[in-house]
mmCIF file of all heavy atoms in Angstrom:
data_model
loop_
_atom_site.group_PDB
_atom_site.id
_atom_site.type_symbol
_atom_site.label_atom_id
_atom_site.label_comp_id
_atom_site.label_asym_id
_atom_site.label_seq_id
_atom_site.Cartn_x
_atom_site.Cartn_y
_atom_site.Cartn_z
ATOM 1 N N ARG B 9 105.249 120.091 68.673
ATOM 2 C CA ARG B 9 105.226 118.640 69.014
ATOM 3 C C ARG B 9 106.492 118.243 69.663
ATOM 4 O O ARG B 9 106.505 117.405 70.524
ATOM 5 C CB ARG B 9 105.042 117.868 67.749
ATOM 6 C CG ARG B 9 103.676 118.040 67.072
ATOM 7 C CD ARG B 9 102.540 117.321 67.872
ATOM 8 N NE ARG B 9 102.855 115.916 68.300
ATOM 9 C CZ ARG B 9 102.678 114.933 67.528
ATOM 10 N NH1 ARG B 9 102.236 115.015 66.326
ATOM 11 N NH2 ARG B 9 102.955 113.755 68.071
ATOM 12 N N TYR B 31 86.224 122.856 80.267
ATOM 13 C CA TYR B 31 87.264 122.250 81.146
ATOM 14 C C TYR B 31 88.482 121.967 80.369
ATOM 15 O O TYR B 31 88.426 121.226 79.326
ATOM 16 C CB TYR B 31 86.764 121.081 81.813
ATOM 17 C CG TYR B 31 87.703 120.562 82.940
ATOM 18 C CD1 TYR B 31 87.602 121.059 84.236
ATOM 19 C CD2 TYR B 31 88.576 119.535 82.672
ATOM 20 C CE1 TYR B 31 88.431 120.531 85.214
ATOM 21 C CE2 TYR B 31 89.417 119.021 83.613
ATOM 22 C CZ TYR B 31 89.292 119.528 84.926
ATOM 23 O OH TYR B 31 90.046 119.041 85.906
ATOM 24 N N TYR B 35 98.770 117.796 81.454
ATOM 25 C CA TYR B 35 99.300 116.620 82.208
ATOM 26 C C TYR B 35 100.763 116.532 81.736
ATOM 27 O O TYR B 35 101.082 116.891 80.626
ATOM 28 C CB TYR B 35 98.591 115.322 81.856
ATOM 29 C CG TYR B 35 97.165 115.249 82.452
ATOM 30 C CD1 TYR B 35 96.133 115.806 81.767
ATOM 31 C CD2 TYR B 35 96.998 114.516 83.577
ATOM 32 C CE1 TYR B 35 94.846 115.728 82.329
ATOM 33 C CE2 TYR B 35 95.732 114.338 84.118
ATOM 34 C CZ TYR B 35 94.638 114.971 83.476
ATOM 35 O OH TYR B 35 93.394 114.799 84.020
ATOM 36 N N GLN B 37 103.653 113.302 81.373
ATOM 37 C CA GLN B 37 103.799 111.907 81.363
ATOM 38 C C GLN B 37 105.351 111.497 81.516
ATOM 39 O O GLN B 37 106.073 111.925 80.629
ATOM 40 C CB GLN B 37 103.267 111.255 80.139
ATOM 41 C CG GLN B 37 103.429 109.738 80.099
ATOM 42 C CD GLN B 37 102.965 109.079 78.858
ATOM 43 O OE1 GLN B 37 102.428 109.743 77.890
ATOM 44 N NE2 GLN B 37 103.061 107.743 78.680
ATOM 45 N N GLY B 40 107.246 105.286 84.109
ATOM 46 C CA GLY B 40 107.008 104.690 85.442
ATOM 47 C C GLY B 40 106.041 105.513 86.390
ATOM 48 O O GLY B 40 105.772 105.013 87.367
ATOM 49 N N LEU B 41 105.632 106.579 85.859
ATOM 50 C CA LEU B 41 104.736 107.439 86.727
ATOM 51 C C LEU B 41 103.313 107.683 86.134
ATOM 52 O O LEU B 41 102.492 108.243 86.740
ATOM 53 C CB LEU B 41 105.469 108.828 87.000
ATOM 54 C CG LEU B 41 106.748 108.803 87.766
ATOM 55 C CD1 LEU B 41 107.330 110.189 87.883
ATOM 56 C CD2 LEU B 41 106.550 108.205 89.225
ATOM 57 N N GLY B 42 103.193 107.301 84.863
ATOM 58 C CA GLY B 42 101.922 107.561 84.258
ATOM 59 C C GLY B 42 101.794 109.089 84.026
ATOM 60 O O GLY B 42 102.714 109.802 83.829
ATOM 61 N N LEU B 43 100.448 109.539 83.984
ATOM 62 C CA LEU B 43 100.193 110.928 83.667
ATOM 63 C C LEU B 43 99.713 111.642 84.960
ATOM 64 O O LEU B 43 98.929 111.030 85.758
ATOM 65 C CB LEU B 43 99.127 111.017 82.660
ATOM 66 C CG LEU B 43 99.419 110.744 81.223
ATOM 67 C CD1 LEU B 43 99.270 109.301 80.892
ATOM 68 C CD2 LEU B 43 98.555 111.658 80.298
ATOM 69 N N GLN B 45 98.499 115.440 86.664
ATOM 70 C CA GLN B 45 97.920 116.760 86.246
ATOM 71 C C GLN B 45 98.749 117.880 86.778
ATOM 72 O O GLN B 45 99.079 117.923 87.939
ATOM 73 C CB GLN B 45 96.472 116.831 86.775
ATOM 74 C CG GLN B 45 95.745 118.057 86.065
ATOM 75 C CD GLN B 45 94.381 118.253 86.693
ATOM 76 O OE1 GLN B 45 94.165 118.385 87.871
ATOM 77 N NE2 GLN B 45 93.340 118.170 85.876
ATOM 78 N N TYR B 48 94.617 122.935 85.839
ATOM 79 C CA TYR B 48 93.422 122.808 85.089
ATOM 80 C C TYR B 48 92.675 124.081 85.112
ATOM 81 O O TYR B 48 92.988 125.027 85.931
ATOM 82 C CB TYR B 48 92.565 121.684 85.708
ATOM 83 C CG TYR B 48 92.054 121.936 87.090
ATOM 84 C CD1 TYR B 48 90.762 122.491 87.298
ATOM 85 C CD2 TYR B 48 92.814 121.456 88.245
ATOM 86 C CE1 TYR B 48 90.394 122.766 88.643
ATOM 87 C CE2 TYR B 48 92.351 121.677 89.514
ATOM 88 C CZ TYR B 48 91.142 122.358 89.659
ATOM 89 O OH TYR B 48 90.624 122.505 90.940
ATOM 90 N N MET B 50 88.596 125.563 84.773
ATOM 91 C CA MET B 50 87.150 125.311 84.725
ATOM 92 C C MET B 50 86.502 126.160 83.659
ATOM 93 O O MET B 50 85.464 125.779 83.154
ATOM 94 C CB MET B 50 86.487 125.575 86.130
ATOM 95 C CG MET B 50 87.060 124.789 87.258
ATOM 96 S SD MET B 50 86.432 123.056 87.205
ATOM 97 C CE MET B 50 84.834 123.354 87.813
ATOM 98 N N ASP B 59 98.292 118.284 90.502
ATOM 99 C CA ASP B 59 99.162 117.528 91.460
ATOM 100 C C ASP B 59 100.566 118.003 91.429
ATOM 101 O O ASP B 59 101.317 117.902 92.379
ATOM 102 C CB ASP B 59 99.015 116.093 91.144
ATOM 103 C CG ASP B 59 97.616 115.584 91.412
ATOM 104 O OD1 ASP B 59 96.976 116.068 92.337
ATOM 105 O OD2 ASP B 59 97.251 114.646 90.595
ATOM 106 N N LEU B 88 106.901 114.464 78.498
ATOM 107 C CA LEU B 88 105.961 114.404 77.499
ATOM 108 C C LEU B 88 104.712 115.090 78.075
ATOM 109 O O LEU B 88 104.199 114.685 79.055
ATOM 110 C CB LEU B 88 105.612 112.963 76.993
ATOM 111 C CG LEU B 88 104.515 112.828 75.934
ATOM 112 C CD1 LEU B 88 104.819 113.556 74.637
ATOM 113 C CD2 LEU B 88 104.331 111.362 75.612
ATOM 114 N N PHE B 90 100.777 116.706 77.796
ATOM 115 C CA PHE B 90 99.421 116.567 77.081
ATOM 116 C C PHE B 90 98.572 117.592 77.559
ATOM 117 O O PHE B 90 98.351 117.844 78.840
ATOM 118 C CB PHE B 90 98.836 115.198 77.341
ATOM 119 C CG PHE B 90 99.550 114.149 76.639
ATOM 120 C CD1 PHE B 90 100.492 113.251 77.216
ATOM 121 C CD2 PHE B 90 99.221 113.809 75.258
ATOM 122 C CE1 PHE B 90 101.084 112.252 76.507
ATOM 123 C CE2 PHE B 90 99.800 112.786 74.556
ATOM 124 C CZ PHE B 90 100.691 111.983 75.229
ATOM 125 N N SER B 97 83.834 119.407 84.120
ATOM 126 C CA SER B 97 84.753 118.711 85.032
ATOM 127 C C SER B 97 84.008 117.359 85.655
ATOM 128 O O SER B 97 84.716 116.679 86.312
ATOM 129 C CB SER B 97 85.127 119.694 86.235
ATOM 130 O OG SER B 97 83.906 120.007 86.963
ATOM 131 N N ALA B 98 82.829 117.252 85.355
ATOM 132 C CA ALA B 98 82.085 116.066 85.873
ATOM 133 C C ALA B 98 82.769 114.784 85.401
ATOM 134 O O ALA B 98 83.423 114.811 84.301
ATOM 135 C CB ALA B 98 80.644 116.042 85.402
ATOM 136 N N ALA B 99 82.582 113.793 86.142
ATOM 137 C CA ALA B 99 83.316 112.565 86.016
ATOM 138 C C ALA B 99 83.020 111.867 84.690
ATOM 139 O O ALA B 99 83.792 111.122 84.045
ATOM 140 C CB ALA B 99 83.106 111.535 87.079
ATOM 141 N N HIS B 100 81.799 112.090 84.181
ATOM 142 C CA HIS B 100 81.363 111.338 83.005
ATOM 143 C C HIS B 100 81.846 111.894 81.703
ATOM 144 O O HIS B 100 81.620 111.373 80.680
ATOM 145 C CB HIS B 100 79.796 111.152 82.971
ATOM 146 C CG HIS B 100 79.145 112.465 82.753
ATOM 147 N ND1 HIS B 100 78.830 113.302 83.810
ATOM 148 C CD2 HIS B 100 78.651 113.060 81.656
ATOM 149 C CE1 HIS B 100 78.270 114.444 83.270
ATOM 150 N NE2 HIS B 100 78.089 114.279 81.957
ATOM 151 N N THR B 101 82.404 113.112 81.886
ATOM 152 C CA THR B 101 82.789 113.790 80.543
ATOM 153 C C THR B 101 84.131 113.309 80.072
ATOM 154 O O THR B 101 85.058 113.360 80.805
ATOM 155 C CB THR B 101 82.856 115.352 80.748
ATOM 156 O OG1 THR B 101 83.657 115.625 81.896
ATOM 157 C CG2 THR B 101 81.451 115.893 81.051
ATOM 158 N N GLU B 102 84.040 112.849 78.866
ATOM 159 C CA GLU B 102 85.313 112.270 78.394
ATOM 160 C C GLU B 102 86.289 113.330 78.118
ATOM 161 O O GLU B 102 85.986 114.418 77.564
ATOM 162 C CB GLU B 102 84.904 111.535 77.040
ATOM 163 C CG GLU B 102 86.102 111.071 76.187
ATOM 164 C CD GLU B 102 85.556 110.760 74.842
ATOM 165 O OE1 GLU B 102 84.381 110.433 74.642
ATOM 166 O OE2 GLU B 102 86.398 110.834 73.831
ATOM 167 N N ALA B 103 87.581 113.038 78.324
ATOM 168 C CA ALA B 103 88.646 113.950 78.017
ATOM 169 C C ALA B 103 89.271 113.657 76.643
ATOM 170 O O ALA B 103 89.535 112.536 76.325
ATOM 171 C CB ALA B 103 89.789 113.793 79.053
ATOM 172 N N PHE B 104 89.403 114.758 75.945
ATOM 173 C CA PHE B 104 90.110 114.606 74.583
ATOM 174 C C PHE B 104 91.453 115.133 74.737
ATOM 175 O O PHE B 104 91.624 116.238 75.318
ATOM 176 C CB PHE B 104 89.325 115.501 73.576
ATOM 177 C CG PHE B 104 87.939 114.976 73.176
ATOM 178 C CD1 PHE B 104 86.846 115.241 73.972
ATOM 179 C CD2 PHE B 104 87.708 114.217 72.091
ATOM 180 C CE1 PHE B 104 85.643 114.852 73.752
ATOM 181 C CE2 PHE B 104 86.516 113.754 71.786
ATOM 182 C CZ PHE B 104 85.392 114.107 72.518
ATOM 183 N N PHE B 105 92.452 114.446 74.302
ATOM 184 C CA PHE B 105 93.809 114.748 74.489
ATOM 185 C C PHE B 105 94.435 115.285 73.155
ATOM 186 O O PHE B 105 94.123 114.774 72.133
ATOM 187 C CB PHE B 105 94.664 113.596 74.969
ATOM 188 C CG PHE B 105 94.336 113.317 76.400
ATOM 189 C CD1 PHE B 105 93.284 112.473 76.842
ATOM 190 C CD2 PHE B 105 95.181 113.752 77.430
ATOM 191 C CE1 PHE B 105 93.015 112.196 78.157
ATOM 192 C CE2 PHE B 105 94.977 113.470 78.749
ATOM 193 C CZ PHE B 105 93.936 112.757 79.083
ATOM 194 N N GLY B 106 95.359 116.271 73.327
ATOM 195 C CA GLY B 106 96.170 116.647 72.222
ATOM 196 C C GLY B 106 97.237 115.586 71.787
ATOM 197 O O GLY B 106 97.239 114.502 72.482
ATOM 198 N N GLN B 107 98.037 115.918 70.846
ATOM 199 C CA GLN B 107 98.968 114.914 70.315
ATOM 200 C C GLN B 107 100.152 114.757 71.158
ATOM 201 O O GLN B 107 101.019 113.791 71.004
ATOM 202 C CB GLN B 107 99.354 115.198 68.854
ATOM 203 C CG GLN B 107 98.325 115.771 67.995
ATOM 204 C CD GLN B 107 98.262 117.276 67.961
ATOM 205 O OE1 GLN B 107 98.116 117.962 69.028
ATOM 206 N NE2 GLN B 107 98.362 117.888 66.807
ATOM 207 N N TYR R 32 81.773 107.054 90.499
ATOM 208 C CA TYR R 32 83.070 107.328 89.823
ATOM 209 C C TYR R 32 82.970 106.671 88.408
ATOM 210 O O TYR R 32 82.083 105.967 88.170
ATOM 211 C CB TYR R 32 84.183 106.707 90.597
ATOM 212 C CG TYR R 32 84.084 105.294 90.980
ATOM 213 C CD1 TYR R 32 84.442 104.216 90.221
ATOM 214 C CD2 TYR R 32 83.488 104.912 92.202
ATOM 215 C CE1 TYR R 32 84.399 102.961 90.493
ATOM 216 C CE2 TYR R 32 83.371 103.610 92.560
ATOM 217 C CZ TYR R 32 83.791 102.662 91.731
ATOM 218 O OH TYR R 32 83.714 101.256 92.028
ATOM 219 N N TYR R 33 83.994 107.122 87.597
ATOM 220 C CA TYR R 33 84.012 106.621 86.261
ATOM 221 C C TYR R 33 85.440 105.958 86.050
ATOM 222 O O TYR R 33 86.425 106.492 86.534
ATOM 223 C CB TYR R 33 83.732 107.666 85.255
ATOM 224 C CG TYR R 33 82.320 108.072 85.174
ATOM 225 C CD1 TYR R 33 81.634 108.743 86.132
ATOM 226 C CD2 TYR R 33 81.574 107.612 84.018
ATOM 227 C CE1 TYR R 33 80.253 109.019 86.038
ATOM 228 C CE2 TYR R 33 80.215 107.905 83.873
ATOM 229 C CZ TYR R 33 79.548 108.661 84.911
ATOM 230 O OH TYR R 33 78.261 108.892 84.889
ATOM 231 N N PHE R 35 88.129 104.539 83.036
ATOM 232 C CA PHE R 35 88.455 104.770 81.587
ATOM 233 C C PHE R 35 89.597 103.883 81.186
ATOM 234 O O PHE R 35 90.485 103.518 82.036
ATOM 235 C CB PHE R 35 88.970 106.143 81.273
ATOM 236 C CG PHE R 35 87.870 107.225 81.599
ATOM 237 C CD1 PHE R 35 87.658 107.591 82.930
ATOM 238 C CD2 PHE R 35 87.134 107.824 80.610
ATOM 239 C CE1 PHE R 35 86.731 108.693 83.249
ATOM 240 C CE2 PHE R 35 86.196 108.826 80.906
ATOM 241 C CZ PHE R 35 86.036 109.223 82.274
ATOM 242 N N TYR R 37 92.636 104.223 78.041
ATOM 243 C CA TYR R 37 93.171 104.905 76.952
ATOM 244 C C TYR R 37 94.303 104.114 76.363
ATOM 245 O O TYR R 37 95.010 103.348 77.073
ATOM 246 C CB TYR R 37 93.755 106.257 77.383
ATOM 247 C CG TYR R 37 92.718 107.285 77.683
ATOM 248 C CD1 TYR R 37 92.159 107.394 78.920
ATOM 249 C CD2 TYR R 37 92.394 108.139 76.742
ATOM 250 C CE1 TYR R 37 91.218 108.406 79.183
ATOM 251 C CE2 TYR R 37 91.445 109.171 76.948
ATOM 252 C CZ TYR R 37 90.895 109.345 78.220
ATOM 253 O OH TYR R 37 89.994 110.234 78.484
ATOM 254 N N GLN R 39 97.778 104.389 74.000
ATOM 255 C CA GLN R 39 98.847 105.230 73.517
ATOM 256 C C GLN R 39 99.797 104.463 72.517
ATOM 257 O O GLN R 39 100.665 103.803 72.928
ATOM 258 C CB GLN R 39 99.665 105.785 74.721
ATOM 259 C CG GLN R 39 100.674 106.914 74.223
ATOM 260 C CD GLN R 39 101.436 107.461 75.404
ATOM 261 O OE1 GLN R 39 101.910 106.836 76.267
ATOM 262 N NE2 GLN R 39 101.556 108.770 75.362
ATOM 263 N N SER R 42 102.998 106.344 68.225
ATOM 264 C CA SER R 42 103.073 107.773 67.759
ATOM 265 C C SER R 42 102.800 108.726 68.906
ATOM 266 O O SER R 42 102.996 109.942 68.685
ATOM 267 C CB SER R 42 101.928 107.984 66.641
ATOM 268 O OG SER R 42 100.733 107.428 67.066
ATOM 269 N N GLY R 43 102.307 108.224 70.032
ATOM 270 C CA GLY R 43 102.345 109.080 71.205
ATOM 271 C C GLY R 43 100.995 109.659 71.612
ATOM 272 O O GLY R 43 100.912 110.109 72.811
ATOM 273 N N GLU R 44 99.983 109.701 70.783
ATOM 274 C CA GLU R 44 98.742 110.367 71.211
ATOM 275 C C GLU R 44 97.986 109.417 72.089
ATOM 276 O O GLU R 44 98.260 108.308 72.195
ATOM 277 C CB GLU R 44 97.930 110.765 69.981
ATOM 278 C CG GLU R 44 97.256 109.545 69.244
ATOM 279 C CD GLU R 44 98.154 109.010 68.203
ATOM 280 O OE1 GLU R 44 99.356 109.149 68.241
ATOM 281 O OE2 GLU R 44 97.621 108.318 67.248
ATOM 282 N N LEU R 45 97.055 109.970 72.835
ATOM 283 C CA LEU R 45 96.232 109.160 73.782
ATOM 284 C C LEU R 45 94.783 108.942 73.144
ATOM 285 O O LEU R 45 94.139 109.987 72.771
ATOM 286 C CB LEU R 45 96.072 109.864 75.050
ATOM 287 C CG LEU R 45 97.290 109.764 76.030
ATOM 288 C CD1 LEU R 45 97.184 110.841 77.123
ATOM 289 C CD2 LEU R 45 97.383 108.449 76.563
ATOM 290 N N PHE R 47 91.095 107.499 73.388
ATOM 291 C CA PHE R 47 90.056 107.056 74.324
ATOM 292 C C PHE R 47 89.437 105.709 73.818
ATOM 293 O O PHE R 47 89.099 105.576 72.675
ATOM 294 C CB PHE R 47 88.951 108.125 74.381
ATOM 295 C CG PHE R 47 87.701 107.662 75.056
ATOM 296 C CD1 PHE R 47 87.549 107.707 76.463
ATOM 297 C CD2 PHE R 47 86.527 107.305 74.288
ATOM 298 C CE1 PHE R 47 86.256 107.312 77.053
ATOM 299 C CE2 PHE R 47 85.390 106.959 74.886
ATOM 300 C CZ PHE R 47 85.249 106.947 76.286
ATOM 301 N N ARG R 50 84.600 104.223 78.604
ATOM 302 C CA ARG R 50 84.264 104.834 79.856
ATOM 303 C C ARG R 50 83.152 103.984 80.525
ATOM 304 O O ARG R 50 82.164 103.514 79.847
ATOM 305 C CB ARG R 50 83.749 106.273 79.649
ATOM 306 C CG ARG R 50 83.108 106.925 80.861
ATOM 307 C CD ARG R 50 82.499 108.258 80.570
ATOM 308 N NE ARG R 50 81.528 108.164 79.475
ATOM 309 C CZ ARG R 50 81.600 108.902 78.440
ATOM 310 N NH1 ARG R 50 82.408 109.913 78.285
ATOM 311 N NH2 ARG R 50 80.544 108.825 77.511
ATOM 312 N N VAL R 89 101.017 101.373 74.670
ATOM 313 C CA VAL R 89 100.904 101.519 76.094
ATOM 314 C C VAL R 89 99.433 101.733 76.432
ATOM 315 O O VAL R 89 98.777 102.558 75.842
ATOM 316 C CB VAL R 89 101.795 102.592 76.664
ATOM 317 C CG1 VAL R 89 101.645 102.639 78.215
ATOM 318 C CG2 VAL R 89 103.233 102.307 76.262
ATOM 319 N N PHE R 91 96.524 102.639 79.278
ATOM 320 C CA PHE R 91 96.391 103.306 80.538
ATOM 321 C C PHE R 91 94.993 103.108 81.061
ATOM 322 O O PHE R 91 93.996 103.351 80.387
ATOM 323 C CB PHE R 91 96.626 104.842 80.452
ATOM 324 C CG PHE R 91 98.103 105.151 80.335
ATOM 325 C CD1 PHE R 91 98.566 105.441 79.082
ATOM 326 C CD2 PHE R 91 98.967 105.295 81.382
ATOM 327 C CE1 PHE R 91 99.924 105.789 78.876
ATOM 328 C CE2 PHE R 91 100.234 105.613 81.226
ATOM 329 C CZ PHE R 91 100.766 105.773 79.915
ATOM 330 N N LYS R 95 88.040 108.559 87.594
ATOM 331 C CA LYS R 95 87.627 109.954 87.924
ATOM 332 C C LYS R 95 86.484 109.903 88.845
ATOM 333 O O LYS R 95 85.410 109.441 88.404
ATOM 334 C CB LYS R 95 87.333 110.684 86.664
ATOM 335 C CG LYS R 95 87.203 112.144 86.886
ATOM 336 C CD LYS R 95 87.106 112.941 85.526
ATOM 337 C CE LYS R 95 87.475 114.410 85.783
ATOM 338 N NZ LYS R 95 86.508 115.095 86.579
ATOM 339 N N PRO R 96 86.612 110.310 90.049
ATOM 340 C CA PRO R 96 85.449 110.319 91.066
ATOM 341 C C PRO R 96 84.533 111.420 90.577
ATOM 342 O O PRO R 96 84.919 112.366 89.813
ATOM 343 C CB PRO R 96 86.160 110.649 92.333
ATOM 344 C CG PRO R 96 87.628 110.420 92.099
ATOM 345 C CD PRO R 96 87.883 110.663 90.675
ATOM 346 N N ASN R 97 83.326 111.263 91.075
ATOM 347 C CA ASN R 97 82.335 112.250 90.694
ATOM 348 C C ASN R 97 82.281 113.519 91.571
ATOM 349 O O ASN R 97 81.390 114.281 91.464
ATOM 350 C CB ASN R 97 80.933 111.609 90.715
ATOM 351 C CG ASN R 97 79.956 112.337 89.787
ATOM 352 O OD1 ASN R 97 80.294 112.841 88.675
ATOM 353 N ND2 ASN R 97 78.696 112.284 90.162
ATOM 354 N N GLY R 99 83.807 116.897 93.304
ATOM 355 C CA GLY R 99 84.729 118.036 93.266
ATOM 356 C C GLY R 99 85.564 118.052 91.887
ATOM 357 O O GLY R 99 84.970 117.687 90.857
ATOM 358 N N ASN R 100 86.676 118.667 91.869
ATOM 359 C CA ASN R 100 87.457 118.883 90.714
ATOM 360 C C ASN R 100 88.556 117.832 90.651
ATOM 361 O O ASN R 100 89.631 118.126 90.094
ATOM 362 C CB ASN R 100 87.972 120.254 90.748
ATOM 363 C CG ASN R 100 86.868 121.277 90.555
ATOM 364 O OD1 ASN R 100 85.933 121.043 89.832
ATOM 365 N ND2 ASN R 100 86.973 122.307 91.268
ATOM 366 N N THR R 101 88.393 116.662 91.162
ATOM 367 C CA THR R 101 89.502 115.647 91.130
ATOM 368 C C THR R 101 89.787 115.307 89.671
ATOM 369 O O THR R 101 88.844 115.012 88.884
ATOM 370 C CB THR R 101 89.002 114.354 91.838
ATOM 371 O OG1 THR R 101 88.466 114.771 93.149
ATOM 372 C CG2 THR R 101 90.107 113.437 91.990
ATOM 373 N N PRO R 102 91.053 115.351 89.356
ATOM 374 C CA PRO R 102 91.412 115.085 87.968
ATOM 375 C C PRO R 102 91.337 113.557 87.673
ATOM 376 O O PRO R 102 91.125 112.732 88.557
ATOM 377 C CB PRO R 102 92.860 115.534 87.872
ATOM 378 C CG PRO R 102 93.361 115.363 89.218
ATOM 379 C CD PRO R 102 92.228 115.678 90.113
ATOM 380 N N LEU R 103 91.452 113.250 86.434
ATOM 381 C CA LEU R 103 91.757 111.848 86.027
ATOM 382 C C LEU R 103 92.898 111.294 86.724
ATOM 383 O O LEU R 103 94.034 111.968 86.647
ATOM 384 C CB LEU R 103 91.946 111.770 84.566
ATOM 385 C CG LEU R 103 90.731 111.534 83.583
ATOM 386 C CD1 LEU R 103 91.201 111.704 82.112
ATOM 387 C CD2 LEU R 103 90.023 110.202 83.877
ATOM 388 N N PHE R 105 95.526 108.424 86.694
ATOM 389 C CA PHE R 105 96.014 107.374 85.777
ATOM 390 C C PHE R 105 96.876 106.356 86.490
ATOM 391 O O PHE R 105 97.589 106.613 87.429
ATOM 392 C CB PHE R 105 96.915 107.973 84.716
ATOM 393 C CG PHE R 105 96.125 108.714 83.603
ATOM 394 C CD1 PHE R 105 95.759 110.046 83.754
ATOM 395 C CD2 PHE R 105 95.754 108.119 82.400
ATOM 396 C CE1 PHE R 105 95.001 110.708 82.832
ATOM 397 C CE2 PHE R 105 95.078 108.747 81.457
ATOM 398 C CZ PHE R 105 94.738 110.102 81.652
ATOM 399 N N GLY R 106 96.757 105.068 86.027
ATOM 400 C CA GLY R 106 97.752 104.033 86.363
ATOM 401 C C GLY R 106 99.026 104.416 85.617
ATOM 402 O O GLY R 106 99.068 105.338 84.811
ATOM 403 N N LYS R 107 100.032 103.601 85.861
ATOM 404 C CA LYS R 107 101.292 103.788 85.259
ATOM 405 C C LYS R 107 101.488 103.239 83.884
ATOM 406 O O LYS R 107 102.482 103.439 83.249
ATOM 407 C CB LYS R 107 102.429 103.373 86.173
ATOM 408 C CG LYS R 107 102.509 104.059 87.520
ATOM 409 C CD LYS R 107 103.663 103.562 88.424
ATOM 410 C CE LYS R 107 103.599 104.360 89.685
ATOM 411 N NZ LYS R 107 104.623 103.946 90.680
ATOM 412 N N GLY R 108 100.469 102.541 83.435
ATOM 413 C CA GLY R 108 100.421 101.990 82.087
ATOM 414 C C GLY R 108 101.013 100.670 81.984
ATOM 415 O O GLY R 108 101.847 100.208 82.794
#
Side-chain angles (χ1 to χ4, degrees):
Chain B
R9 292 290 309 278
Y31 188 89
Y35 289 83
Q37 180 184 356
L41 295 177
L43 284 89
Q45 193 185 56
Y48 65 92
M50 301 282 286
D59 295 325
L88 177 58
F90 287 99
S97 62
H100 68 277
T101 53
E102 171 194 336
F104 293 82
F105 285 84
Q107 318 95 304
Chain R
Y32 51 88
Y33 283 74
F35 300 79
Y37 284 86
Q39 186 176 43
S42 49
E44 72 273 22
L45 283 164
F47 167 81
R50 171 185 55 229
V89 180
F91 289 97
K95 196 168 196 298
N97 204 35
N100 295 319
T101 311
L103 270 171
F105 284 85
K107 296 180 181 180

